[in-house]
């Protein structure tokens, strides 16, 4: 299938085709004795992911684990559907996200407030997963991949308070979720992802430092794909955060409202990203995944908390 890429080490990248777009939201299958799916993508992507797993030889009873880096709908919106397709699979998530997978009503209500009618087009509805199938992770934990191989999880808040990174003992791959920002392989651009209500600069920087300390061989971005320049890329992740926070702080100190702050930050960061100079579709991907309004709103929300 043309939405599956063999990354080596029995790891397969699956383009989940979020909202019909290609190349914006990835899931990953680690195909060992105990097959593990990292990130489900959205609810509307679940059939796409199932077809990919089927073509990789993973039948309904074969999937051992589903793990999500955090419970935002582009990462975990499909958990309920995938749990239904794969009745043996254990669902693994940070403890701060677990109850929302068992009872998504509050999560969906707040997502509906943020996205309005666009929610149905972009994500669909997260359906509930039986609580008995959910395993909650603390500050660290692990997922057995079989044959002595494991995914080790590390709590990495900052983007979201229920975020974990996961490192594969077999390959040194680090699944970074959104904690290192959003990477666009077409242009090599990297932009921060700082949405409300959880964004926190200090914990976000701590999480990037924690990732550096794990000495990964490769980063696997949920948006999007593998990156092997690990040190350089994580350095950029931290730099991008600082730049967006500095500019937003400046806009705030000048008394700008959100719309003006977004316009100012957008203009002042524009030249950093080739994507914004390339075709409209690529620029649109950036706006969808780490849009300036969402990033600036998240930073403002954090500043209101720490510097009222
Ligand atoms: Zn995301």
């Amino acid at each position: 299938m043309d939405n599956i890429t063999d990354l080596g080490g029995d790891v397969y990248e699956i383009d989940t085709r979020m909202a019909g777009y290609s190349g914006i939201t990835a899931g990953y299958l680690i195909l060992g004795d105990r097959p593990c799916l990292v990130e489900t993508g959205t609810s509307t992507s679940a059939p796409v992911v199932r077809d990919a797993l089927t073509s990789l030889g993973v039948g309904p009873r074969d999937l051992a684990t589903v793990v999500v880096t955090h419970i935002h709908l582009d990462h975990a919106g499909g958990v309920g559907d995938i749990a239904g397709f794969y009745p043996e699979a254990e669902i693994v998530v940070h403890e701060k996200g677990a109850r929302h997978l068992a009872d998504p009503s509050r999560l969906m209500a707040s997502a509906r407030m943020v996205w309005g009618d666009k929610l149905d087009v972009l994500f669909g509805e997260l359906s509930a997963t039986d609580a008995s199938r959910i395993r909650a992770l603390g500050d660290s934990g692990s997922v057995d991949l079989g044959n002595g191989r494991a995914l080790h999880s590390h709590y990495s808040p900052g983007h979201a308070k229920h975020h974990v990174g996961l490192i594969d003992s077999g390959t040194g791959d680090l699944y970074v979720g959104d904690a290192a920002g959003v990477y666009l392989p077409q242009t090599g651009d990297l932009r921060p992802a700082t949405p409300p209500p959880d964004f926190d600069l200090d914990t976000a920087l701590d999480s990037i430092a924690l990732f550096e300390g794990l000495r990964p061989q490769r980063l696997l971005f949920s948006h999007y794909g593998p990156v092997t320049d690990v040190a350089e890329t994580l350095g950029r992740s931290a730099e991008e955060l600082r730049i967006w926070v500095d500019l937003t702080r400046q806009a705030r100190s000048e008394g700008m409202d959100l719309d003006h702050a977004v316009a100012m930050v957008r203009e002042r960061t524009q030249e950093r990203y080739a994507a914004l100079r390339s075709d409209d579709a690529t620029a649109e991907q950036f706006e969808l995944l780490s849009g300036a309004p969402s990033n600036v709103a998240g930073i403002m929300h954090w500043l209101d908390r720490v510097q009222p």
Side-chain angles (χ1 to χ4, degrees):
M1 288 173 63
D2 66 355
N3 65 327
I4 301 173
T5 306
D6 181 350
L7 298 181
D10 294 324
V11 178
Y12 296 86
E13 174 196 282
I14 300 165
D15 184 341
T16 69
R17 300 265 157 84
M18 174 177 152
Y21 291 91
S22 288
I24 67 171
T25 295
Y28 296 93
L29 180 71
I30 306 168
L31 191 53
D33 279 359
R34 293 175 48 77
C36 174
L37 176 67
V38 183
E39 314 283 53
T40 63
T42 64
S43 172
T44 48
S45 292
V48 175
V49 173
R50 178 177 56 178
D51 288 350
L53 265 55
T54 303
S55 83
L56 289 165
V58 177
R61 303 247 150 223
D62 299 334
L63 190 67
T65 317
V66 175
V67 53
V68 291
T69 58
H70 61 301
I71 60 164
H72 289 164
L73 295 176
D74 49 332
H75 301 255
V79 164
D81 306 87
I82 295 288
F85 295 152
Y86 299 95
E88 308 285 327
E90 180 180 54
I91 312 301
V92 180
V93 60
H94 188 262
E95 60 192 2
K96 288 198 162 75
R99 70 190 170 95
H100 296 288
L101 295 185
D103 175 9
S105 53
R106 273 185 55 194
L107 178 71
M108 289 309 302
S110 68
R112 180 74 64 185
M113 286 223 301
V114 174
W115 295 96
D117 292 342
K118 280 202 284 187
L119 184 136
D120 302 298
V121 178
L122 289 174
F123 308 112
E125 286 272 336
L126 169 63
S127 54
T129 298
D130 190 349
S132 67
R133 293 184 55 191
I134 299 173
R135 179 159 65 90
L137 297 164
D139 283 353
S140 60
S142 66
V143 171
D144 180 8
L145 301 172
N147 260 334
R149 184 175 176 182
L151 266 185
H152 296 292
S153 74
H154 297 270
Y155 183 46
S156 47
H159 170 79
K161 63 175 186 271
H162 38 70
H163 194 291
V164 298
L166 301 135
I167 190 159
D168 182 338
S169 69
T171 58
D173 285 332
L174 178 65
Y175 295 85
V176 291
D178 288 354
V182 166
Y183 175 77
L184 274 197
Q186 300 95 314
T187 57
D189 286 330
L190 182 73
R191 203 152 92 155
T194 62
D198 291 350
F199 172 68
D200 182 298
L201 178 65
D202 303 313
T203 53
L205 290 171
D206 286 349
S207 292
I208 291 169
L210 181 147
F211 286 174
E212 284 167 339
L214 297 173
R215 305 214 164 273
Q217 293 299 304
R218 180 165 70 171
L219 307 175
L220 297 182
F221 282 83
S222 300
H223 322 285
Y224 184 98
V227 174
T228 49
D229 290 335
V230 171
E232 188 205 325
T233 302
L234 291 176
R236 268 172 64 203
S237 298
E239 183 191 2
E240 289 289 326
L241 280 175
R242 290 199 181 91
I243 288 168
W244 281 67
V245 165
D246 284 350
L247 288 170
T248 303
R249 188 179 266 136
Q250 188 186 328
R252 185 171 176 268
S253 72
E254 289 171 17
M256 288 185 199
D257 64 14
L258 183 60
D259 286 352
H260 286 92
V262 168
M264 184 271 244
V265 175
R266 198 198 297 270
E267 197 211 299
R268 299 272 295 272
T269 55
Q270 196 147 22
E271 75 206 28
R272 301 182 60 76
Y273 311 113
L276 302 183
R277 296 188 296 275
S278 74
D279 62 289
D280 287 352
T282 313
E284 188 184 330
Q285 290 179 3
F286 243 169
E287 279 307 307
L288 198 59
L289 295 167
S290 74
S294 161
N295 278 350
V296 173
I299 295 167
M300 286 280 201
H301 186 78
W302 168 70
L303 288 169
D304 288 345
R305 214 166 59 231
V306 296
Q307 301 177 337

